[in-house]
Amino acid sequence: MALVAVTREALDCLAGRASTEHLALDTLPDPADRRYLSGPALRDHRRLGVACFVALHQRMSTQLDESFAGNGLRRVRPIRESQVITRSPAVPFLATAARTGFAIGYTIALVLLATTWSVQLVFLTAAVAGFRLLALALWLFESFSLMLRGITTECPRCHARLARPVFVCPCGREHRALIPGAQGAFFRTCRCDRRLPTLLIAGKSGLSPRCGGCDASLPSATQMMPTRHVPVVGGTGAGKSVFLHTAVARMRSDHDAVPADPFTDSRLAETGALLADGRFPPRTPVSQPVSHTLQVRNRLLHLYDAAGEIVQDADRIADSAFLALSDGVVLVVDPLALPAVRARADPDVLAGTRSSGIDPKTVLDLLTETLTEHHTATPRRIAVVVTKGDTLPCSTHPYATQPPDRPAAVRAWLITHGHADLVHSAEHHFPHVHYFVVTYLTASHDPHDDPAAPIHWLLTGTTP
């Protein structure tokens, strides 16, 4: 009877209609339940053990109460027995023997139940530990593989470096920690009953990634390839936006780059339409720049078109978090901002060209100070790009004599035109400095560098 009671209690605990509140399946922030073997199984086993022990104790107590009364045997048959038997002196002995038998039986049942429960606990603990170790091993495998490949996650809008992106289920629910863990080793089940992979190699990259800070959409290639961040800095009107568009257009025409998100694609299309009509793009908004995100072969490239008002103002540039992500810098130098060049320029060219009034050395100084204040390692490369090369007279153009070493010619040209301090400061703060002259015009009477060459050099250390 005790075995029947224990079995019935066990079946009640394990039945589908049984309460699952004690399992705490939905206590994690993400919209998915815990896996049974991640911990709830041990809670279930503990609850089952307590229920079985209580049922065994209650059954034995009830059996003793029903079988004995005082010091004599309880009548269990309807036939009246003789007074001689009930008053026999052997009755107390028989009662004691029966109680002893019940106690021995209870002890044996208790030992068997405890042994069975303990053996189950050992195997169940091993299964739970195995599940947790498997989830930990898978998480470490993915984390180390990302680290070895140099893959990080940054938001192109708020410029925060993320531990991991938020992945959005097709039902719209956000999973902020879609990694192997308590909610699943290889897969987890969203509240919409859709199975979501927890590993990139299992298909997690097919979900929509978002920033956990500003909720901005991230490129679909996030966490699939290394990222590089290149800010394009220069004074107001130096030609940063035109240079960036021209460089990207050239990279796209060579099939080296494709826009990594719709936002970048639409901005490039708008700027391209303006330049095709002979108009310059409007001034860059004075706010933290949203990156132009490109997939360049096996890299995810973030190009930041920072407004000149930001990089030439000490307070604004100090709040520029995107500079802390820099892997390389493009310093745009407007030749018409150099007094020696401006004095020799054609008045018609000056009247038809929007020029910068900011000394590029000032921009460079603020840039290096900001990198130091951010406690960020200074990028190893800086590309000094002289824009608007088509506005330079043939006699003063750095490539007028067809020099064999173009970077050295641009360097000498800057020094000759009064910017030796710019050259020396750049070479002091950056281990590798390269000089270029570019124009946005597709045809020019003077030779110029490929507009994409500075970006290519920053990424690979070589020029095409």
Side-chain angles (χ1 to χ4, degrees), residues 394-406:
C394 296
S395 59
T396 60
H397 196 285
Y399 300 159
T401 59
Q402 302 292 328
D405 188 350
R406 286 189 170 187

Side-chain angles (χ1 to χ4, degrees), residues 360-374:
K361 176 63 165 54
T362 302
V363 175
L364 179 61
D365 290 342
L366 289 174
L367 172 66
T368 54
E369 290 174 8
T370 301
L371 292 174
T372 302
E373 291 174 359
H374 279 302

Side-chain angles (χ1 to χ4, degrees), residues 399-425:
Y399 300 159
T401 59
Q402 302 292 328
D405 188 350
R406 286 189 170 187
V410 180
R411 181 181 184 276
W413 183 87
L414 287 170
I415 294 175
T416 301
H417 288 79
H419 267 67
D421 54 348
L422 172 67
V423 171
H424 297 154
S425 178

Side-chain angles (χ1 to χ4, degrees), residues 222-392:
T222 297
Q223 289 196 317
M224 295 301 295
M225 54 187 64
T227 56
R228 296 293 183 267
H229 299 264
V230 177
V232 180
V233 300
T236 305
K240 302 179 299 299
S241 299
V242 176
F243 161 74
L244 189 149
H245 176 83
T246 308
V248 171
R250 183 57 185 267
M251 294 168 68
R252 295 179 69 180
S253 66
D254 293 341
H255 306 288
D256 285 341
V258 294
D261 56 49
F263 183 69
T264 298
D265 198 11
S266 64
R267 284 195 299 174
L268 292 175
E270 292 173 3
T271 305
L274 291 173
L275 293 176
D277 291 340
R279 295 178 294 165
F280 290 103
R283 290 185 179 273
T284 305
V286 185
S287 60
Q288 293 301 305
V290 179
S291 77
H292 291 71
T293 308
L294 305 169
Q295 183 175 332
V296 185
R297 297 183 180 178
N298 61 341
R299 295 181 181 88
L300 200 61
L301 174 62
H302 296 272
L303 294 172
Y304 298 92
D305 181 13
E309 290 84 355
I310 292 178
V311 296
Q312 65 196 30
D313 184 274
D315 294 332
R316 286 173 174 167
I317 196 173
D319 296 330
S320 300
F322 68 94
L323 292 176
L325 305 175
S326 304
D327 296 297
V329 178
V330 174
L331 175 63
V332 174
V333 177
D334 182 1
L336 299 180
L338 308 182
V341 176
R342 192 175 183 85
R344 300 179 182 179
D346 188 338
D348 294 335
V349 172
L350 292 176
T353 304
R354 187 172 64 190
S355 59
S356 174
I358 304 301
D359 187 347
K361 176 63 165 54
T362 302
V363 175
L364 179 61
D365 290 342
L366 289 174
L367 172 66
T368 54
E369 290 174 8
T370 301
L371 292 174
T372 302
E373 291 174 359
H374 279 302
H375 303 288
T376 303
T378 302
R380 297 187 60 80
R381 296 190 178 107
I382 182 171
V384 180
V385 179
V386 178
T387 57
K388 307 175 185 178
D390 56 287
T391 65
L392 297 175

Side-chain angles (χ1 to χ4, degrees), residues 181-206:
Q183 294 173 313
F186 293 96
F187 294 89
R188 71 166 55 166
T189 303
C190 182
R191 294 283 160 75
C192 68
D193 292 332
R194 186 186 298 270
R195 295 183 70 200
L196 303 179
T198 61
L199 297 169
L200 294 168
I201 59 174
K204 183 170 64 173
S205 58

